[in-house]
Amino acid sequence: MTFTSGNAAVYGRPPMEERLEFALKWLLGPETTSEKRPGHLWPRWIFLRALGLIYCSAFYSLLFQIKGLLGPNGILPAGDYLQAIASQLQSQRFWYAPTLLWLGASDHALMFLCWVGLAASLLAVVNIWPRVSLLICFVCFLSFVCAARDFSGYQSDGMLLEAGFIALFFAPPGFWPGLGRANSPSRASLFLLRWEWFRIYFESGLAKMFGGDPTWRNFTAMDKYYENGPLPTWIGWYVGHFPHWFHASAVFYTLAIELVLVWMLFLPRRFRIALFWIVAPFEISIILTGNYAFLNYLVFSLGFLLLDDRFIEWIVPQRIRDAIEGKDAKRSMEGAAPQSGGARWHQRLALVRMTIAGVCFALVFYVSTTLFIWMFAPSLPLPQKPVQVLEPFRIANSYGLFARMTPARFEIEFQGSADGKTWKPYLFRYKPQILSKPPGIYAPYQPRFEWNLWFASLASWQESRFVLWTEERLLVGEPDVLALFAENPFAGAPPQQVRAVIYQYWFTDEKTKREQGTWWRRELLGEYAPALEHNPDGKIVMLDIPTIELPAQ
């Protein structure tokens, strides 16, 4: 008979098996705390509330857009897309596009998806049944992303899905767990969330240095950054007029954080706490100067996982902590020990949950690490099957923010005409268009249609066919698509022709803004996409195809 390091005796059990079991429980079981190793209950609580708010912002913004984007009469109907997938992939279609919209993609189904996701996100914010509410948020958001095509190809969507999936295991169990003192987070889930945070920074730094854009190497990348981003802010307008030395310093600061300082994550707790106070102002500055939806809010929230309970309890007053925790801590501790009759089933269920978590963590870590390694050695022959298996779910991704900076700002504008001579613009809600309108701060709200037009303006219309399909919807006066705009210049009857033109925009200088009150100046470059015309017989025809060439990028 051999004895383990504990009190129980195990007959004939190999020491290797004992060590493996200990390692798995250490990794996948609740983390143990001590005076030298504080826990992460408060960072978990803060992060999960922030994650719920981020989900809330995503679903709230979709409520006003999803019918115009994906509805049966929208720009890119989800139903048509899923039908095309089904005809090609048949039984594999559910894995290729894991979305609830297979059950129906009507306007009512799309709105129901958003409302359910919004309700679940609010439950997550107030800490009611966090694992279930976060699971509903994840499924609903994944369902949108898998059917949205051009309107969901953003790195921020992948970041949210990856963090949201890992959070299913990071969150405490129970209907109202409070701080979850009886269920500390596992080391594996905490590590994977930190691992995502690290990769967002470091992979973006690598992309900047090796992505082929010389502006990061010659310290000019930030000179036009504030002017040429998707949706600038009024604060960004002022910062954009700062001298070159300030922008060069910002380049150095960015690269120092992304390539060097983020490695402090793997150092002792004092370094991690110092790192939080370095990156937090960095993220806040991006939030104030550029509308990047919920991206920087998510990265900022992940940063709280660099902290620990001892630090947060030191910095947050006792009365605030008591108000947050309330009576939930007592209820959580009272429910920590299972009844004696159900102890065996409780242990078995815990083993099953731990096994499922271990498999999921292993897949996410392998795929994310493989994608990370391929940035250095793309030809390294690592098994690709796990990467292909997880790809539709977007829960393990590679990142590369601002790998190439845009040297100029182009804006697509839709115009309609009743006679082919006089053209009226369709006004946007958020994009630069009215020259005297100051740029706003809209994030974390994400106007996906206007956001995507910024990407479309950087290439030809053939690479962004949704621009042409938007023209078609405007030509017939489709209400859900018109709702994506600030107003309809043809409220009485749809126009006879619709076209998309392209302008180049610049910030005005301080003198011009002071004298004329304009934040922007612009120059018409020509037609961006073919104009469409509504013939008397009801047919829609395409007019001349433009041959405009944008200035070199």
Side-chain angles (χ1 to χ4, degrees), residues 8-270:
V10 181
Y11 179 75
R13 192 171 184 182
M16 181 60 70
E17 182 179 334
E18 296 175 12
R19 288 194 289 268
L20 179 61
E21 180 181 356
F22 174 81
L24 290 176
K25 288 184 177 180
W26 182 88
L27 188 64
L28 302 175
E31 66 173 348
T32 55
T33 62
S34 64
E35 183 65 25
K36 293 184 178 180
R37 292 183 177 274
H40 298 86
L41 298 177
W42 282 107
R44 177 177 68 177
W45 189 92
I46 295 171
F47 168 72
L48 293 179
R49 306 292 78 74
L51 183 63
L53 288 172
I54 291 168
Y55 269 129
C56 183
S57 72
F59 290 116
Y60 176 79
S61 66
L62 288 176
L63 283 175
F64 305 97
Q65 306 174 64
I66 196 165
K67 291 195 293 184
L69 299 178
L70 308 185
N73 298 314
I75 299 171
L76 296 175
D80 295 349
Y81 175 59
L82 295 178
Q83 186 177 3
I85 292 176
S87 64
Q88 295 292 325
L89 299 179
Q90 299 180 359
S91 62
Q92 298 180 358
R93 64 186 185 274
F94 300 113
W95 191 269
Y96 180 83
T99 173
L100 294 177
L101 296 179
W102 286 112
L103 302 175
S106 64
D107 285 338
H108 292 298
L110 293 170
M111 294 301 293
F112 180 76
L113 185 76
C114 294
W115 279 113
V116 169
L118 181 61
S121 67
L122 293 175
L123 291 177
V125 171
V126 296
N127 202 20
I128 294 178
W129 217 350
R131 284 188 175 178
V132 174
S133 58
L134 289 173
L135 176 61
I136 295 173
C137 289
F138 175 81
V139 171
C140 290
F141 192 66
L142 177 66
S143 296
F144 162 75
V145 167
C146 290
R149 291 185 279 178
D150 290 5
F151 297 118
S152 66
Y154 314 126
Q155 294 189 63
S156 55
D157 293 333
M159 292 178 190
L160 180 54
L161 287 172
E162 183 172 345
F165 179 76
I166 302 170
L168 300 178
F169 305 93
F170 189 60
F175 181 77
W176 200 339
L179 202 60
R181 290 191 181 277
N183 298 278
S184 298
S186 67
R187 291 179 176 85
S189 60
L190 176 62
F191 170 79
L192 284 179
L193 287 169
R194 287 175 168 178
W195 175 236
E196 179 186 1
W197 178 91
F198 172 82
R199 288 174 14 248
I200 291 172
Y201 279 107
F202 189 66
E203 291 180 358
S204 296
L206 292 177
K208 291 177 176 62
M209 295 306 295
F210 303 106
D213 187 347
T215 61
W216 286 107
R217 295 175 180 272
N218 60 29
F219 291 89
T220 60
M222 302 294 290
D223 287 4
K224 295 294 182 180
Y225 157 80
Y226 305 97
E227 178 179 88
N228 297 334
L231 291 174
T233 70
W234 64 270
I235 298 177
W237 188 94
Y238 287 103
V239 177
H241 289 83
F242 286 2
H244 169 69
W245 67 262
F246 175 86
H247 301 310
S249 301
V251 172
F252 178 81
Y253 181 41
T254 301
L255 295 178
I257 288 178
E258 294 182 343
L259 294 174
V260 180
L261 297 179
V262 288
W263 288 94
M264 293 167 64
L265 169 67
F266 304 105
L267 298 178
R269 64 180 296 268
R270 292 185 178 181

Side-chain angles (χ1 to χ4, degrees), residues 414-418 422-426 489-490 495-499:
F414 293 95
Q415 299 176 346
S417 176
T422 303
W423 296 88
K424 298 179 181 179
Y426 289 83
F490 298 92
Q496 288 298 114
Q497 293 183 12
V498 172
R499 68 181 184 181

